[in-house]
Structure formats: structure tokens, C-alpha cells
């Protein structure tokens, strides 16, 4: 009963926190709300007319939604790169950063689920997928595995930070015997969500571009580069705009993680390119389409040739300690690395899987305005959720939000 | 609805589970079975049984809800209870059993409700299959005033359907494509076609990359040959494995089918199919009323809705009735051969035993039941 009272007070206090802030904060939230509303309007059009309002066709049947979904699973998985050193290896530097990282994971997972729902032809019958009520094709379909691991990871990433914050809110220390097992589990779980998502594509013998053993490991490497890169940027922003103290040491350590992951990612990219282009087979055509275009169809060329140089540049810059330890360079590198991997692991991965088609037909894909509107709306939703979570967490950690503290 | 051990969740909202002794043999509780137009007229015997059911039958089967609300009472209590029930179930009441709307619209919403929350066809018993087919037929009748016949016929024993395509004979007329579209009620707006005819250049072999599957010129074109593809009804279909809700499966006679009402529209099967065999309803399929083929099968050519997958079913509504698929019948050159692989005297068996047959992408291990051969 007492817990319920504390919880009620926490909800009230956090509502109070998220509705009050600087002018800049209100402007930011208003902007996000506006973009979300635009997204919802676009989605309502899609609901009414069907997925024909998107650029997808029978030839390229997955597009922007699934691309963003794939990428964001990686971002969500990246929270583990902070969880592991903090809770498992007891590295104290990460402790402040880890709550932010887990908040980011929650926001990314909510975006993932929203993108999947947006991509469904029949959202009204999605209950068919609920185990027990519907028919859950487990373990045959990798999509059911993905549903399980994503929701499980979402649960872990909500409960662990919530427990810690709930204790801190009452002015108590969080008991490590309670959250450490969950933290260790979430480390394995994070690897699982991204590996399972990769298997979703990797297991399709129909699509040679995806059907290669390196896809899963490369997903992990790119995720552990892009995710922490985003966390660094977010920490930089939080450090700038709030009183929340994040030490340079912490950011430098995360930068190390980004660097190593980006280097491994680059090695795998080289391996992939070598396989596709040294002795090209019929199965290399998708890669040819992606990098050079086929039959004069070259819609993806500008994208991939933006992504690859950015990727290489960021990795090279990060490799030198002097440059990496300069925060201006570091933030720039993180930004371009994030963009590069978003392109590469997003539609640079999904769209070429369908081109050329099973019988060699080359039909290109261009997202429509409505599709882009929904996508932006979902990104705004993610940013909105993250802002709320982060603001509450920071409030509690700074001691501004406290149970029974009548201010 | 006569069977109570259903394999899915269903809301018992305003629906009375009567013992079906007095109602029609199809097991429907409302509206009549719909396959025949005289379903509204009861015989005297049926009327008597129904009357008895109405007076005392429910006493035996009343559940808690009905025991409270379905009793004789004075006006004051009635108003009191009515107000309470209105407050509790206003939303549900207005959708499925509104007292304001007429019998027909009530029946319509009752059908819609049951259709929305029905189970996966694959797991239904024969009675449940019949019931959903009856509902769909009745719904069509209520909406358009016209009748259609819809079958829920299961696979027959000792039947395994197979298909052979004679590359030497095909001239690219595309009569098969047109017959298929008409037979299977495919969306006319997006010009959905299950069959693709690939026009290939002589002397280049089976070079799909340089083939044209969307030609608009006189055929047969000089120096070209033609090859048709469609769903190959694999014995080991990758599309079936990946479906998260088992909305698509392989029937016992080898047909790979889709339950359009169970499909959630994720299009994973489309990505998994190596043969371009699946089509998606990107918008609401439109077929002019006059062109609708009213001879339907639940798993075949019944009307689809937007956002679901569909595909060639070897015309299940025809093949299970002992006829050839529409494409086979329409082909003017005799390039298409269809039959029962388990019947040693069938033409398809003769082709497989006497011609040099091959299949596409055999290395993928999908075991298509669609063979190509040449004279």
C-alpha cells in the first residue's frame, strides 16, 4: 500500500517535472508534438487508402518503415554497451550515463514497434499475433522470435531503470542483488534482439543479398557503433542544457566503444565487398545495384556513396587518440557515423534485397511524402518519449524529485 | 457455431448459444444458412421446435448474464435494469445489438462482429468452416442483394496436385493471365496478375534478366520464346515457414493457400518467396459487380480486402471440384498441364515420366510442384 502511494506521488511529481521547463524545452516539445500530429494525419490517410499510398509495390514490398525498424533495433541493443561496464564490470564512470542509455533503448524500442505496426496491412487484426489468443507461429517464424525478444527487452529496460529510480526517489540505495541479475540478463538479451532481427533477413534463401552468414555479426558491429554514437551526442546535449554532471571520462570511454565497433564494422564491410566483387556471381547483382546501379537504374547510388565515405572518415578520425579526445572532432565523428550507419543498415540493406526481383526484374523504390511523414512522426514520438524519460530520470538523480519533499 | 471447443478467443456478446436442434442444420444461429434463398421459410416442424426452444429452451442454457437480465419483471425494475445495462455496455450494445436499428443492420453488425473475432481457418472444424462461409455468403446477400455460392471443401484423399508447362508450345498469348484474373476476382485497379509470362530471346537460354514480363506487342514475336511463372505450390514452402500467424499453409492436396481474414499483412512471406508467387492488396481490391465470379471457395477466389496477401491457388474452387484451373482451360496452345500426381494414369504423370522435365531454382530446396518441359 505504501509502495502504491509512493508510486502515485512519483507519477505526480514526474508529470509536474515534464510539464515545466525552460522556454527552449517547451518549444522543443511543441515541435515534436506538431511533427507527431502530422505523422498521425499521414497515418490516417494510409489507414483509409491502404499501403498503396506508400512507395512500396509487389516488387519492393518492404521500404522505409522496415528500414528504420532494422536500424532502431540496433540503437536499442546499444544500451548494453553501457549496462555491461556499469553493472557487471562495476565501472563507476558509466553510472550516470547508463540510465540515459536505457531510456534511449526504451524510446528506440517504442519506435521499432510503431514502425512495425505502421508497416502492417491489417493493424486491426494484430491480435492474431498475441500468443494464447491468436496463433503464434513459434518457433518456425523468425518474426515471432523478434516479437518475443523485442517485448522482453522493452520490459527489461523499463523495469531495471524504474527500480533504480524508484529507490532513489525514496532516498534509498538500489539493492544490487535485485537489479544485477536483470542487468546481466539484458546484456545477453541485447545481443539476441539484434541477432534475431538479422536472422529475420538472413534466413531467406530467396534473397541472396541477405542470405549471408556475415549479416548477423555485422548488424551487431554496426549497432554497437551507431548506438553509443547517439548516446554520446545525447549526453553532450544533456550536459549542455541541464545541471546533470557527466564526466569527460565517461564520454571518452563510450567513444572507445564506438571506435572499436566502427573498426570491426569496417573490416566486415571490406570482407563483404570483396566477396561480392572479386568473383561476382548471379547473387552479386543486388550489391551491384546498390553500389553501381543496374540497367541505368541507380536511385541508391547517392545514398550509399554518402554513407561509405562518412563511415570510413569517421572510423579513421576516431582511430587517432588525439582526434578522438578532442570533443569537437568526436561529436562530429559520432554524428556522421550515425548518419552513415542509418543509411547503410536502413534502406541500403532492405531495398537492394528486393532488387533485382526473383526473376531479375529491376523495379526501383522511392518513398512517398506520406511514408516520410509517418516516419518522421514516429521519430518524433521516440524523441518525445526519450525527453520525458530523461527529464524525469535526471530530476530524480539530481535529487530534485524526492518523495515527501514538500518544496 | 454448434461446436463449443473453439481454438480461439471469442467474446460472447449478445449472442445466445442455443442448442441447435431447432435451427437450421448448417449450425447458424441467425439469419439462415444463406446458401439457398428459401432459408427464411421454416417448415412446421422447425417452427414448433423453435417455439419450444424460445419458450423453455433457454432456461436450460442460460448463463449468468441472462439469468440476471432475461427474466420477467415489472416496468419499474425493467427501467432500472435497462439504465444500468445501458451504462455498462453502451458501446458494445450500439455496435452489435442496437435496439434502434433494424433486423438487417443488426444482423450485419452481428456478422461483422463474429467475422472480426473468428479464428484461423486452418484450425477450424468442418462445422466452423461451414459457419464462416455461411456468414460470408449472408453478408454478401445483405450488402448487395445477390447470392453467391462459396465452398469450404477440404482436400480429398489421395490427391496431390501438380502442374507442367510446355515451353515449346507457349506462344505468349496471355489468355491464361486474363482467364486467371476473371476467375479469381483479382483487383482490376492495380491490374494484379498471378501469372507472369516472360518473353525470352532465342539463343540466350533461360535468361530471366533480359526477359520481358510486361510486353505489349503482337505475339509470338520473331526470335523469342515464352515461359510462364506463377506460384509453384512448393512441397517445402519458405513462405509458410515465415508467417508469424500461420495465415498461410500447405493443404493436404499440396495447395499452398492463404486465409485472407487471418493475414495481418506483414508481407514476410512475400520476401521469403523465391518465385515471385505472392501478391499484396495495397489498396481495396475493386472488381466491377458485373464481372464478379460468384462461384467461390473460402481459400480461393472469394473477395479479398485491403492489406492482405493473396496468390495462385491452382483455382481451388475449380480443382477441388474436379475441373482444371482457369489458366489450363484457357490456354489455346495446350502448353499447360494439370493433374493429380498420385494418379498413375493422369497426364501430368505421363509428362513427368516421359519428358525431360526440370524445375526453377531447385538448389533452394523448396521442391516446387511445377515442372517445365520441351517437346
Amino acid at each position: 500500500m505504501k509502495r502504491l502511494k509512493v508510486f502515485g506521488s512519483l507519477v505526480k511529481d514526474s508529470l509536474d517535472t515534464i510539464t515545466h521547463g525552460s522556454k527552449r524545452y517547451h518549444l522543443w516539445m511543441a515541435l515534436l508534438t506538431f511533427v507527431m500530429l502530422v505523422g498521425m494525419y499521414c497515418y490516417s490517410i494510409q489507414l483509409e487508402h491502404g499501403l498503396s499510398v506508400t512507395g512500396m509495390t509487389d516488387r519492393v514490398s518492404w521500404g522505409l518503415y522496415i528500414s528504420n525498424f532494422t536500424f532502431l533495433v540496433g540503437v536499442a541493443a546499444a544500451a548494453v554497451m553501457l549496462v555491461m561496464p556499469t553493472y557487471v564490470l562495476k565501472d563507476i564512470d558509466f553510472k550516470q550515463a547508463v540510465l540515459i542509455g536505457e531510456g534511449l533503448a526504451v524510446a528506440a524500442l517504442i519506435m521499432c514497434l510503431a514502425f512495425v505496426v505502421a508497416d502492417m496491412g491489417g493493424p486491426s487484426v494484430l491480435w492474431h499475433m498475441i500468443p494464447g489468443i491468436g496463433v503464434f507461429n513459434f518457433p518456425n517464424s523468425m518474426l515471432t522470435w523478434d516479437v518475443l525478444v523485442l517485448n522482453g527487452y522493452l520490459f527489461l529496460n523499463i523495469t531495471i531503470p524504474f527500480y533504480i529510480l524508484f529507490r532513489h526517489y525514496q532516498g534509498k540505495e538500489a539493492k544490487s542483488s535485485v537489479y544485477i541479475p536483470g542487468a546481466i540478463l539484458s546484456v545477453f538479451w541485447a545481443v539476441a534482439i539484434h541477432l534475431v532481427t538479422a536472422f529475420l533477413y538472413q534466413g531467406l534463401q530467396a534473397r541472396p543479398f541477405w542470405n549471408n552468414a556475415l549479416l548477423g555479426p555485422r548488424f551487431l558491429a554496426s549497432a554497437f557503433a551507431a548506438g553509443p554514437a547517439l548516446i554520446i551526442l545525447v549526453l553532450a546535449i544533456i550536459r549542455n542544457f541541464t545541471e546533470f554532471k557527466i564526466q569527460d571520462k565517461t564520454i571518452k570511454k563510450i567513444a572507445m566503444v564506438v571506435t572499436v565497433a566502427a573498426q570491426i564494422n569496417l573490416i566486415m564491410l571490406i570482407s563483404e565487398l570483396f566477396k561480392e566483387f572479386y568473383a561476382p556471381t548471379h547473387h552479386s547483382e543486388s550489391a551491384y545495384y546498390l553500389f553501381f546501379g543496374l540497367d541505368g537504374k541507380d536511385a541508391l547510388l547517392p545514398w550509399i556513396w554518402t554513407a561509405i565515405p562518412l563511415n570510413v572518415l569517421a572510423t579513421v578520425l576516431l582511430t587517432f587518440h588525439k582526434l578522438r579526445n578532442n570533443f569537437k572532432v568526436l561529436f562530429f565523428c559520432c554524428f556522421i557515423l550515425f548518419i552513415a550507419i542509418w543509411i547503410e543498415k536502413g534502406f541500403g540493406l532492405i531495398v537492394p534485397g528486393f532488387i533485382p526481383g526473383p526473376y531479375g526484374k529491376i523495379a526501383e523504390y522511392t518513398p512517398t511524402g506520406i511514408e516520410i511523414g509517418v516516419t518522421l512522426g514516429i521519430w518524433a514520438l521516440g524523441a518525445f518519449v526519450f525527453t520525458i524519460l530523461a527529464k524525469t530520470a535526471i530530476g530524480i538523480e539530481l535529487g530534485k524529485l524526492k518523495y515527501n519533499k514538500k518544496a | 457455431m454448434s461446436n463449443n471447443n473453439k481454438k480461439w478467443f471469442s467474446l460472447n456478446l449478445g449472442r445466445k448459444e442455443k442448442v441447435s436442434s431447432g435451427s437450421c442444420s448448417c449450425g447458424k444461429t441467425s439469419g439462415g444458412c444463406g446458401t439457398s434463398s428459401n432459408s427464411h421459410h421454416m417448415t412446421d416442424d422447425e417452427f414448433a421446435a423453435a417455439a419450444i426452444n424460445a419458450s423453455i429452451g433457454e432456461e436450460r442454457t442460460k448463463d449468468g448474464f441472462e439469468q440476471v437480465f432475461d427474466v420477467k419483471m415489472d416496468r419499474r425494475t425493467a427501467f432500472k435494469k435497462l439504465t444500468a445495462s445501458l451504462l455498462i455496455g453502451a458501446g458494445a450494445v450500439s455496435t452489435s445489438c442496437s435496439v434502434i436499428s433494424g433486423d438487417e443492420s443488426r444482423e450485419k453488425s452481428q456478422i461483422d462482429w463474429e467475422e472480426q473475432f473468428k479464428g484461423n481457418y486452418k484450425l477450424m472444424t468442418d462445422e466452423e468452416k461451414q459457419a464462416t462461409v455461411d456468414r460470408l455468403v449472408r453478408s454478401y446477400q445483405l450488402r448487395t442483394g445477390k447470392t453467391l455460392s462459396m465452398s469450404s471443401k477440404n482436400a480429398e484423399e489421395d490427391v496431390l496436385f501438380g502442374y507442367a508447362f510446355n515451353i515449346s508450345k507457349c506462344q505468349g498469348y496471355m489468355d491464361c493471365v486474363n482467364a486467371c484474373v476473371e476467375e479469381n476476382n483479382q483487383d482490376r485497379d492495380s491490374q494484379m496478375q498471378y501469372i507472369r509470362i516472360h518473353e525470352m530471346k532465342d539463343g540466350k537460354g533461360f535468361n530471366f534478366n533480359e526477359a520481358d514480363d510486361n510486353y505489349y506487342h503482337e505475339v509470338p514475336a520473331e526470335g523469342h520464346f515464352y515461359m510462364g511463372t506463377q506460384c509453384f505450390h512448393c512441397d517445402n514452402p519458405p513462405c509458410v515457414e515465415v508467417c508469424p500467424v500461420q495465415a498461410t499453409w500447405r493443404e493436404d492436396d499440396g495447395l499452398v493457400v492463404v486465409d485472407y481474414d487471418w493475414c495481418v499483412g506483414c508481407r514476410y512471406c512475400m520476401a521469403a518467396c523465391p518465385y515471385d508467387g505472392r501478391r499484396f492488396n495495397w489498396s481495396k481490391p475493386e472488381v466491377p459487380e458485373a464481372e464478379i465470379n460468384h462461384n467461390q471457395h473460402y481459400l480461393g477466389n472469394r473477395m479479398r480486402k485491403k492489406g492482405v496477401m493473396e496468390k495462385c491457388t491452382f483455382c481451388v474452387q475449380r480443382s477441388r471440384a474436379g475441373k482444371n484451373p482457369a489458366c489450363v482451360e484457357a490456354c489455346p496452345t495446350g502448353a499447360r498441364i494439370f493433374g493429380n500426381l498420385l494418379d498413375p494414369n493422369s497426364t501430368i504423370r505421363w509428362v513427368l515420366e516421359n519428358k525431360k522435365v526440370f524445375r526453377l531454382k531447385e538448389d533452394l530446396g523448396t521442391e516446387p510442384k511445377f515442372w517445365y518441359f520441351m517437346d
Side-chain angles (χ1 to χ4, degrees):
Chain A
M1 209 52 222
K2 191 194 163 231
R3 282 211 183 118
L4 224 62
K5 223 169 112 192
V6 179
F7 179 70
S9 148
L10 173 62
V11 170
K12 226 166 48 201
D13 279 357
S14 52
L15 271 177
D16 200 49
T17 317
I18 58 177
T19 46
H20 290 87
S22 62
K23 206 173 208 170
R24 223 189 252 127
Y25 171 75
H26 281 293
L27 220 61
W28 166 244
M29 292 307 257
L31 176 76
L32 290 181
T33 311
F34 174 73
V35 178
M36 276 195 289
L37 285 174
V38 171
M40 273 162 73
Y41 173 67
C42 290
Y43 186 62
S44 75
I45 295 173
Q46 183 187 311
L47 272 185
E48 188 172 337
H49 298 281
L51 284 159
S52 55
V53 298
T54 69
M56 292 183 274
T57 58
D58 277 346
R59 310 276 190 180
V60 182
S61 51
W62 280 340
L64 205 54
Y65 298 151
I66 294 294
S67 304
N68 278 289
F69 157 76
T70 311
F71 173 73
L72 284 166
V73 172
V75 173
V80 73
M81 295 320 278
L82 304 171
V83 172
M84 199 161 54
T86 313
Y87 297 144
V88 184
L89 307 178
K90 304 254 159 64
D91 196 331
I92 200 73
D93 287 345
F94 279 38
K95 208 138 207 176
Q96 302 104 338
V98 79
L99 285 173
I100 304 295
E102 283 176 331
L104 206 61
V106 170
L109 284 167
I110 287 172
M111 283 192 266
C112 285
L113 296 176
F115 273 119
V116 170
V117 172
D119 189 65
M120 290 285 165
S124 65
V125 291
L126 264 184
W127 62 270
H128 291 172
M129 226 192 258
I130 301 172
I133 301 175
V135 178
F136 201 56
N137 191 13
F138 186 83
N140 284 17
S141 171
M142 289 316 294
L143 202 56
T144 56
W145 282 75
D146 219 27
V147 169
L148 287 183
V149 290
L150 285 182
N151 284 300
Y153 194 64
L154 182 60
F155 176 76
L156 281 176
N157 273 299
I158 287 176
T159 46
I160 296 171
F162 178 75
Y163 170 74
I164 293 171
L165 290 173
F166 193 63
R167 298 288 292 188
H168 287 181
Y169 177 65
Q170 300 171 75
K172 298 176 194 161
E173 265 308 300
K175 281 191 217 125
S176 60
S177 61
V178 175
Y179 66 79
I180 291 283
I184 293 174
L185 182 62
S186 78
V187 170
F188 291 103
W189 211 288
V191 176
I193 63 164
H194 216 27
L195 216 48
V196 166
T197 308
F199 288 174
L200 202 83
Y201 308 105
Q202 203 173 322
L204 302 179
Q205 69 266 55
R207 311 283 169 184
F209 187 65
W210 298 335
N211 190 14
N212 81 65
L214 198 55
L215 199 72
R218 223 192 134 202
F219 263 45
L220 288 177
S222 62
F224 292 157
L230 182 62
I231 290 174
I232 289 180
L233 293 176
V234 170
L235 288 180
I237 293 168
I238 288 175
R239 212 157 74 135
N240 236 348
F241 289 107
T242 72
E243 300 154 40
F244 196 50
K245 287 280 161 288
I246 292 149
Q247 291 166 311
D248 285 2
K249 224 163 63 178
T250 307
I251 290 186
K252 279 179 187 166
K253 263 196 183 146
I254 304 175
M256 194 70 208
V257 171
V258 175
T259 310
V260 173
Q263 286 164 342
I264 295 173
N265 182 37
L266 209 58
I267 292 168
M268 290 185 182
L269 173 69
I270 292 166
S271 168
E272 244 175 16
L273 292 179
F274 175 78
K275 182 245 164 191
E276 301 286 18
F277 296 116
Y278 179 73
T281 67
H282 191 67
H283 289 172
S284 309
E285 282 187 328
S286 294
Y288 258 94
Y289 169 73
L290 175 62
F291 286 97
F292 306 112
L294 277 178
D295 283 1
K297 306 258 172 86
D298 50 9
L300 288 178
L301 286 202
W303 292 101
I304 197 69
W305 288 114
T306 310
I308 298 292
L310 288 182
N311 198 346
V312 173
L313 177 67
T315 311
V316 169
L317 288 180
L318 285 171
T319 304
F320 295 103
H321 293 283
K322 252 218 174 102
L323 292 170
R324 189 176 66 236
N325 288 336
N326 179 339
F327 275 4
K328 274 201 186 112
V329 178
L330 175 67
F331 296 153
F332 172 71
C333 284
C334 285
F335 180 70
I336 62 173
L337 193 63
F338 184 78
I339 297 293
I341 291 175
W342 176 70
I343 294 172
E344 221 189 299
K345 277 280 137 314
F347 45 88
L349 175 83
I350 303 302
V351 177
F354 293 99
I355 305 169
Y359 294 124
K361 182 83 178 179
I362 301 163
E364 297 203 281
Y365 160 78
T366 322
T368 58
I370 288 173
E371 216 172 344
I372 293 170
V374 174
T375 303
L376 289 177
I378 294 175
W379 275 93
L381 168 75
F384 192 83
V385 168
F386 175 75
T387 311
I388 288 175
L389 291 177
K391 198 158 195 302
T392 313
I394 289 171
I396 292 175
E397 288 299 289
L398 289 179
K400 279 186 186 161
L401 259 72
K402 235 186 186 106
Y403 182 53
N404 273 344
K405 180 191 150 197
K406 298 279 172 242
Chain B
M1 294 284 99
S2 58
N3 197 326
N4 274 322
N5 31 347
K6 275 173 272 170
K7 296 165 194 74
W8 66 85
F9 168 80
S10 71
L11 285 173
N12 193 359
L13 202 90
R15 183 171 63 206
K16 287 171 183 141
E17 298 267 355
K18 280 181 201 163
V19 185
S20 62
S21 61
S23 66
C24 180
S25 60
C26 71
K28 258 186 74 65
T29 53
S30 61
C33 63
T35 40
S36 56
S37 53
N38 61 355
S39 59
H40 285 303
H41 310 292
M42 284 183 175
T43 64
D44 287 349
D45 281 355
E46 276 175 332
F47 180 76
I52 292 165
N53 237 355
S55 54
I56 62 157
E58 271 167 26
E59 301 287 344
R60 299 190 297 255
T61 57
K62 267 183 187 172
D63 65 14
F65 178 84
E66 284 158 337
Q67 278 165 9
V68 175
F69 286 97
D70 203 12
V71 289
K72 292 189 171 68
M73 58 180 82
D74 63 338
R75 191 175 293 174
R76 171 174 259 180
T77 356
F79 271 121
K80 240 157 110 184
K81 299 221 166 187
L82 255 179
T83 317
S85 73
L86 271 175
L87 283 174
I88 295 163
V93 166
S94 68
T95 51
S96 69
C97 48
S98 167
V99 275
I100 311 154
S101 54
D103 265 359
E104 280 211 344
S105 61
R106 192 187 310 178
E107 191 187 350
K108 235 187 262 176
S109 41
Q110 171 80 13
I111 289 175
D112 287 347
W113 176 266
E114 288 181 18
E115 279 297 296
Q116 173 73 25
F117 291 105
K118 72 178 178 184
N120 185 337
Y121 187 82
K122 180 189 176 186
L123 304 174
M124 287 186 193
T125 61
D126 286 351
E127 291 82 45
E128 287 162 355
K129 286 178 181 175
Q130 188 59 49
T132 180
V133 162
D134 289 339
R135 277 198 301 271
L136 290 169
V137 170
R138 177 73 185 142
S139 169
Y140 186 77
Q141 206 173 31
L142 286 170
R143 268 160 238 271
T144 63
K146 290 182 191 159
T147 48
L148 54 81
S149 89
M150 193 187 292
S151 161
S152 58
K153 191 167 188 232
N154 288 327
E156 279 176 62
E157 265 182 42
D158 296 324
V159 173
L160 185 67
F161 289 121
Y163 205 113
F165 186 97
N166 189 339
I167 302 165
S168 315
K169 282 211 167 118
C170 180
Q171 303 286 317
Y173 295 129
M174 305 225 337
D175 287 358
C176 50
V177 177
N178 294 330
C180 173
V181 170
E182 279 165 29
E183 170 70 27
N184 289 302
N185 295 326
Q186 282 146 40
D187 179 30
R188 305 296 203 271
D189 282 356
S190 64
Q191 299 187 324
M192 185 193 289
Q193 295 166 354
Y194 295 160
I195 303 173
R196 294 200 204 282
I197 304 290
H198 306 261
E199 186 181 69
M200 306 204 183
K201 285 193 189 76
D202 281 340
K204 293 256 187 171
F206 298 114
N207 192 343
F208 278 101
N209 280 11
E210 290 179 31
D212 181 8
D213 66 1
N214 199 22
Y215 53 83
Y216 294 93
H217 52 71
E218 197 176 317
V219 289
E222 182 74 25
H224 288 84
F225 69 97
Y226 300 86
M227 195 168 171
T229 59
Q230 60 204 68
C231 171
F232 290 166
H233 295 270
C234 305
D235 248 15
N236 181 22
C239 52
V240 166
E241 290 297 309
V242 300
C243 178
V245 292
Q246 294 189 20
T248 181
W249 65 91
R250 181 190 173 279
E251 290 267 285
D252 286 339
D253 53 7
L255 303 182
V256 177
V257 292
V258 182
D259 180 354
Y260 312 123
D261 292 337
W262 194 255
C263 173
V264 295
C266 70
R267 308 191 294 294
Y268 197 11
C269 54
M270 208 170 196
C273 175
Y275 302 109
D276 195 16
R278 292 182 162 254
R279 303 287 179 269
F280 188 69
N281 286 291
W282 298 94
S283 46
K284 188 177 185 323
E286 297 290 350
V287 184
E289 189 59 41
E291 292 176 27
I292 291 181
N293 176 5
H294 287 99
N295 178 29
Q296 302 179 353
H297 191 287
Y298 183 93
L299 295 171
N301 57 347
R302 72 185 171 101
M303 303 310 291
R304 274 77 73 182
K305 45 192 179 186
K306 90 176 170 226
V308 299
M309 218 65 209
E310 62 174 284
K311 63 189 281 300
C312 158
T313 59
F314 282 165
C315 288
V316 56
Q317 67 279 1
R318 296 172 63 97
S319 53
R320 282 198 185 158
K323 289 193 277 185
N324 270 328
C327 50
V328 177
E329 204 170 87
C331 179
T333 64
R336 292 171 172 270
I337 290 154
F338 177 80
N340 180 4
L341 294 168
L342 301 182
D343 173 7
N345 299 318
S346 62
T347 323
I348 182 101
R349 277 286 286 270
W350 186 88
V351 168
L352 294 186
E353 279 155 24
N354 294 284
K355 296 286 181 181
K356 274 83 186 162
V357 295
F358 68 93
R359 298 182 288 187
L360 291 183
K361 302 189 186 179
E362 279 198 296
D363 50 327
L364 299 182
T366 51
E367 300 290 336
K369 287 195 292 297
F370 195 105
W371 288 266
Y372 293 93
F373 68 100
M374 284 161 270
D375 281 336

